Amino acid sequence: MKRLISTVVALLCACSLSLLASEGPVTLTNDPATQTWRFAENGLPVLDYHFGTVPRPAGQATTYFGKGATNFDGSYFTDGSEYGGARSAYIQPLYGFAGEPLTDDFPADHPHHRGLWWSWCEVRQGDRLGDNWAVNKVRTWPVAISNTQCDESGASLTAENVWLFDNDPVPFVKEVVTIAVSPTKETEQGKSRFIDLTVTLTALADQVSIAGRQNCDYCGYGGMAVRMLASATDFSLRAVHPNPDKWSGADLKDTERITDPEKYGQAAWLAIHGRYLRPGQESVDPATPVTSLTMIEATDVPLAPSNFRYYGSRNIMIAWPGFSVIQLEKGQPTTFRCRFWLQEGTTRVEEEWQQWKDYNTNPQVLQKDNASMSKEQEEFWCYAGTYTREANDAMKLVGVGASEGIYVTSWNSETGQYGPVRLVAKTYSPGYMTTSADHKILYVVEEGSPSNGTANVSAWAINGATGDLSLLNRVATGGGSPCHLTLSPDGRFLVVANYSGGDFVVFALNDDGTIGQETDRVTPTGQPGPNAGRQEKPHAHGAYYINDMLYLVDLGCDRVYRGTLDGQGKFVPDATVPELQGVPGAGPRHIAPVTHTDPSANKAADLRLVTINELDSTVSFYNPEQGAQPVLTLSTLPEDLRDKVTDAASAVDGERFVLANTTSELAVRPGEPYVYASNRGHNSIACYAVEAGNPDNAKLIDIVSTHGVNPRYIGLSPDGRFLLAANQDSGTVVVFQRDLATGRVDHTPVATFLVPWPIDLLFVPKSN
């Protein structure tokens, strides 16, 4: 059997050119002579995966376990059997950013240690016991490279191996390992890259189990390990773990130990720092940058967080499953995942904590919320409206240039991944957007161009396969600064809010979806609010259809007008509640429904409405069946700031007023009792929950930083699992994970992409 496996490997390697993948920043090549697969970037090696057998080095004596009693659970440690010989299926070396080796193989003190590897000290099948950690009585044998891939996201390789006991040609465990390497990125501290490992074990026989070393004071060692080079200087190790009993190895006392479950929860990681000998050096140069390697275990690993173990010989491991025994059920896979974060410079504990959260909340590893979601529902285009301006200093620092129009990126709802951001339509200050019901036409409001001062609304044909836009037509809105728009439910009319003009204009849509003639212009006649600087006249700020009722939001007069459009596109005020009245001076900006079920199927008596009020930093809840006044108004700010905030930056004096803040956007999801409101100035998102069984009551449950400046827009992803904040003055769109069950938003972003002066986002399903 072993000879057959070796023959298969040789045949695979002989034709390995058909398996090579090299299109992307990280390349992947195979050396048929050594059966080694190399990941490389810019001509420098990243790591070598030894798929084939690596023999014991010439001149190194064969090593045997001594005979006699020991405290280890395993009689083979007393039978004088060989260990630490030929091995396969491991990484060696792991390289630094200058191509310098970081790890060791066949070290004299522990010849079975090997680079970066995964193995277990006690492997059982029936009454047989072996140790593939020490390469004793059981060994991993290569079978096939089943997949290789290289693209802009990096390179990956999947290898299939089997475990065999000595003198038995029948494999009893199948091992599948996937190695994924990301491209190197430049950070403020230096170069950075990720190496993700996924090891899946499937028993091919009954009564198979794996375990760490039992009955010894070594934390049940075995699992995922690295053996760092002894020649490294300024070597140090940091271990963070919620349970100090799980990392009580004899040598770990010499490391920095952090146990703080109140701060880090169940997070656990190992960070290794040192300077390594670079090519061309005879000794380690003290000026060589420190290289940091952080080992992060995935939280979905059984029994995580695992034990930690550190030998003075610089063997560091995540000792999974430690003293526990994992039964490998025949035909049922068991998976262990781990990330290795390589960073130039000495990492700080806060940075390591961030990387742990990024890995364990990364959309790439999240389970799908809806297993029945179709491919069409998973893939979206995300369009961004922007202000047409030159980049400010903050944007220039992160490489964002001037804004020129509408931008687009791809979005995958299953993974939360986005693609490259690109300009798809040159137009002046495109703002809020909506689409036709079939998602084939995009409608956009556009502020007046300096060349002619004309404010417009435009229609664009959407190429569902590429995301490209083609202009269909453009119509003047007849009022300054159009800032919002909506389509009637029947798709016949388009309603636009002109902020500076102070009116709402209705357009008929032609049969081909282009914008036709104006059918009505609604000009509010109410009394302006008390804020002389912002409420000198009506200011139309939003138009929304909710349950077939049209709501027109007037910031200037503290009103929301309710009504319908007749067959000719004329606005008809509602006969029972023609308007909702805001708190004087509040300045309502947007409105949204909030219920526990889909509003379109809900009884009117169960519907609640919420407005975000720009000028006094509040949200107001309404029950239209109970009248025009809000039933509840809540602040969007922390309690200690509420009486110290002004809407005008010029009024900040450091004494009475310490902060200028205006709110900007609401985000809700049909059928959920959660409301999100953004603050500009405090640069945060206020999160609310409507009380179950009492929809007239709600409470502020959290306030989350947007990690940027001036979040003009926030919104939820199509499946609701992510909240996106468009930070206008930072040129960033920051993505947060959201808990569908509790409505809580993670304070740590899972992603950020760059868009110049973003003011609106809109998801549109991809199509062929």
Side-chain angles (χ1 to χ4, degrees):
M1 178 67 179
K2 296 175 186 176
R3 180 175 297 176
L4 174 60
I5 292 174
S6 298
T7 302
V8 171
V9 170
L11 289 172
L12 285 168
C13 293
C15 61
S16 63
L17 290 178
S18 64
L19 295 172
L20 300 189
S22 60
E23 293 183 1
V26 182
T27 60
L28 184 57
T29 56
N30 177 42
D31 182 350
T34 62
Q35 304 177 8
T36 299
W37 291 79
R38 168 163 289 183
F39 292 77
E41 185 177 26
N42 297 323
L44 294 175
V46 173
L47 65 85
D48 292 340
Y49 172 66
H50 294 283
F51 175 56
T53 297
V54 178
R56 189 188 296 269
Q60 186 180 75
T62 302
T63 49
Y64 302 91
F65 285 121
K67 294 185 177 182
T70 75
N71 64 337
F72 297 121
D73 180 14
S75 60
Y76 57 97
F77 271 93
T78 66
D79 66 0
S81 57
E82 179 183 349
Y83 75 96
R87 71 283 308 261
S88 60
Y90 68 107
I91 292 171
Q92 169 60 25
L94 178 66
Y95 295 93
F97 294 103
E100 73 277 23
L102 307 180
T103 54
D104 202 359
D105 199 8
F106 289 100
D109 54 9
H110 292 80
H112 52 289
H113 290 180
R114 47 197 186 274
L116 192 166
W117 84 105
W118 43 98
S119 60
W120 289 268
C121 301
E122 298 196 6
V123 177
R124 298 178 185 270
Q125 196 274 312
D127 58 359
R128 297 187 294 181
L129 177 64
D131 180 353
N132 65 357
W133 169 273
V135 199
N136 174 260
K137 296 189 184 301
V138 66
R139 227 198 85 183
T140 304
W141 289 85
V143 175
I145 299 295
S146 60
N147 185 59
T148 61
Q149 181 175 346
C150 289
D151 55 31
E152 291 304 311
S153 65
S156 64
L157 171 149
T158 299
E160 297 182 7
N161 308 296
V162 292
W163 294 1
L164 301 175
F165 276 102
D166 289 348
N167 303 316
D168 186 348
V170 180
F172 67 99
V173 169
K174 177 182 178 181
E175 173 190 297
V176 178
V177 57
T178 297
I179 306 168
V181 177
S182 71
T184 297
K185 293 184 177 180
E186 292 287 346
T187 67
E188 292 183 2
Q189 188 169 337
K191 295 181 174 64
S192 178
R193 77 163 61 107
F194 300 115
I195 300 164
D196 290 342
L197 290 178
T198 303
V199 179
T200 299
L201 305 177
T202 304
L204 304 176
D206 294 320
Q207 298 181 308
V208 177
S209 67
I210 58 172
R213 177 69 63 232
Q214 307 292 298
N215 300 328
C216 68
D217 188 27
Y218 292 154
C219 284
Y221 69 91
M224 184 70 68
V226 291
R227 171 63 190 251
M228 310 306 291
L229 280 169
S231 58
T233 63
D234 299 319
F235 191 84
S236 66
L237 176 67
R238 176 187 296 118
V240 179
H241 202 292
N243 183 358
D245 293 336
K246 282 198 170 186
W247 41 294
S248 55
D251 299 303
L252 202 58
K253 66 181 183 295
D254 299 324
T255 71
E256 180 185 4
R257 301 156 56 104
I258 298 177
T259 298
D260 192 352
E262 289 189 3
K263 181 173 183 180
Y264 301 116
Q266 291 300 298
W269 67 87
L270 288 159
I272 307 162
H273 311 117
R275 303 181 199 275
Y276 297 83
L277 186 68
R278 292 197 165 186
Q281 295 179 345
E282 295 184 359
S283 60
V284 178
D285 187 341
T288 297
V290 166
T291 297
S292 298
L293 179 66
T294 303
M295 302 172 64
I296 304 172
E297 181 186 40
T299 55
D300 59 7
V301 170
L303 307 177
S306 299
N307 293 347
F308 289 166
R309 171 63 185 161
Y310 170 51
Y311 284 102
S313 58
R314 296 186 177 176
N315 175 221
I316 301 108
M317 74 192 75
I318 298 174
W320 175 77
F323 293 128
S324 300
V325 176
I326 296 289
Q327 299 292 334
L328 300 182
E329 300 296 334
K330 184 178 180 180
Q332 300 297 316
T334 297
T335 297
F336 180 95
R337 295 189 304 107
C338 185
R339 167 167 285 183
F340 292 81
W341 172 42
L342 203 65
Q343 174 69 52
E344 198 170 50
T346 303
T347 54
R348 295 177 291 109
V349 67
E350 294 82 6
E351 296 170 325
E352 297 154 9
W353 168 227
Q354 179 66 55
Q355 293 297 334
W356 183 93
K357 290 188 289 185
D358 285 351
Y359 178 53
N360 282 295
T361 60
N362 192 312
Q364 296 182 53
V365 300
L366 293 175
Q367 295 296 317
K368 288 176 61 175
D369 177 60
N370 184 351
S372 65
M373 185 182 291
S374 69
K375 184 67 176 177
E376 288 74 21
Q377 291 173 307
E378 294 171 7
E379 299 291 340
F380 289 81
W381 297 113
C382 179
Y383 292 95
T386 66
Y387 277 135
T388 300
R389 298 175 181 173
E390 294 295 325
N392 61 21
D393 290 342
M395 296 179 194
K396 291 176 182 177
L397 285 175
V398 295
V400 177
S403 175
E404 298 182 86
I406 302 172
Y407 293 77
V408 73
T409 182
S410 59
W411 175 272
N412 185 289
S413 279
E414 180 181 11
T415 65
Q417 289 183 310
Y418 61 89
V421 177
R422 58 190 175 90
L423 179 69
V424 286
K426 277 195 174 186
T427 186
Y428 192 84
S429 290
Y432 276 79
M433 303 170 286
T434 191
T435 67
S436 57
D438 60 6
H439 306 296
K440 293 183 178 180
I441 299 177
L442 182 73
Y443 298 98
V444 187
V445 292
E446 303 170 346
E447 286 199 5
S449 168
S451 61
N452 56 29
T454 302
N456 302 299
V457 59
S458 56
W460 303 77
I462 301 172
N463 185 321
T466 67
D468 292 342
L469 300 178
S470 302
L471 180 64
L472 296 176
N473 76 325
R474 177 179 284 120
V475 176
T477 66
S481 304
C483 60
H484 202 263
L485 76 171
T486 191
L487 281 171
S488 61
D490 60 8
R492 296 176 58 202
F493 301 102
L494 181 68
V495 185
V496 177
N498 289 314
Y499 177 80
S500 297
D503 55 22
F504 303 86
V505 59
V506 184
F507 295 96
L509 295 180
N510 299 318
D511 291 342
D512 61 359
T514 57
I515 304 167
Q517 296 296 314
E518 176 181 326
T519 63
D520 199 9
R521 187 172 294 268
V522 182
T523 303
T525 58
Q527 180 67 32
N531 188 321
R534 295 290 308 279
Q535 295 182 309
E536 78 287 359
K537 65 174 186 177
H539 284 296
H541 213 298
Y544 294 87
Y545 266 98
I546 301 172
N547 278 13
D548 294 326
M549 184 74 71
L550 178 60
Y551 291 81
L552 305 176
V553 185
D554 179 3
L555 180 148
C557 297
D558 295 317
R559 293 290 189 272
V560 179
Y561 310 105
R562 300 174 80 232
T564 58
L565 294 180
D566 65 17
Q568 303 304 312
K570 301 293 185 181
F571 180 73
V572 180
D574 183 61
T576 56
V577 185
E579 65 180 33
L580 303 177
Q581 299 171 9
V583 175
R589 181 179 172 96
H590 297 293
I591 191 169
V594 55
T595 62
H596 284 267
T597 56
D598 190 325
S600 65
N602 202 20
K603 296 179 181 179
D606 295 332
L607 177 67
R608 298 300 181 268
L609 302 173
V610 58
T611 62
I612 187 167
N613 306 315
E614 177 174 343
L615 303 182
D616 69 351
S617 299
T618 62
V619 292
S620 293
F621 293 82
Y622 293 84
N623 182 348
E625 300 304 304
Q626 294 183 5
Q629 299 294 329
V631 296
L632 179 68
T633 296
L634 299 173
S635 176
T636 62
L637 295 169
E639 188 172 359
D640 60 347
L641 284 177
R642 292 172 188 173
D643 60 351
K644 301 176 183 178
V645 173
T646 173
D647 67 289
S650 60
V652 175
D653 56 16
E655 297 178 0
R656 181 184 176 190
F657 297 121
V658 299
L659 176 70
N661 188 79
T662 58
T663 61
S664 54
E665 184 63 274
L666 285 172
V668 299
R669 188 173 185 232
E672 289 189 6
Y674 308 115
V675 177
Y676 306 92
S678 51
N679 288 302
R680 296 175 295 178
H682 193 248
N683 299 323
S684 62
I685 303 165
C687 309
Y688 305 88
V690 174
E691 184 177 326
N694 184 12
D696 289 336
N697 194 32
K699 64 179 180 179
L700 179 68
I701 59 173
D702 202 0
I703 297 179
V704 179
S705 169
T706 64
H707 293 262
V709 180
N710 198 2
R712 189 178 183 88
Y713 174 86
I714 60 171
L716 298 174
S717 62
D719 60 4
R721 293 190 302 133
F722 303 98
L723 187 148
L724 292 80
N727 294 302
Q728 174 186 307
D729 293 359
S730 301
T732 59
V733 176
V734 181
V735 183
F736 301 87
Q737 185 184 353
R738 190 179 77 100
D739 189 313
L740 291 169
T742 66
R744 295 277 182 175
V745 175
D746 197 328
H747 285 240
T748 302
V750 296
T752 299
F753 57 92
L754 304 179
V755 178
W757 301 104
I759 59 177
D760 186 41
L761 300 173
L762 181 69
F763 290 96
V764 177
K766 289 186 178 182
S767 62
N768 295 326

